[in-house]
Amino acid sequence: MAIVKKQFDVGGMHCGSCAAGIQMVLSTQDGIKNASVSWDTKSGEVEFDDSKVTVEQIQKSVSELGYSATPK
């Protein structure tokens, strides 16, 4: 188990509520310790256990909400 902190460019957000929704969904997923998403900077940071969740799974979760997440 390794805790990884990864930054993402988040596309498709139109307001602060978009960022809050993405952050809420990510924060409730198993293996994610912390998620912070900013509409102002169009970015996010996710701290996660890489034995439980992958970058690709994070990207898929964001994509299913109608947004994009590109690792920096």
Side-chain angles (χ1 to χ4, degrees):
M1 169 179 100
I3 301 299
V4 176
K5 191 179 284 189
K6 190 77 178 162
Q7 294 186 352
F8 296 86
D9 288 322
V10 181
M13 294 188 293
H14 303 294
C15 63
S17 292
C18 296
I22 296 167
Q23 184 173 311
M24 181 186 69
V25 167
L26 290 176
S27 296
T28 61
Q29 291 187 343
D30 187 41
I32 295 182
K33 304 296 182 191
N34 187 38
S36 176
V37 181
S38 170
W39 176 66
D40 292 334
T41 62
K42 307 288 191 271
S43 66
E45 183 175 88
V46 182
E47 189 175 352
F48 60 97
D49 178 344
D50 69 353
S51 70
K52 293 184 178 181
V53 66
T54 65
V55 168
E56 291 78 15
Q57 288 170 316
I58 293 168
Q59 289 178 285
K60 183 179 178 194
S61 294
V62 174
S63 176
E64 288 173 350
L65 295 172
Y67 307 100
S68 64
T70 306
K72 289 187 177 187

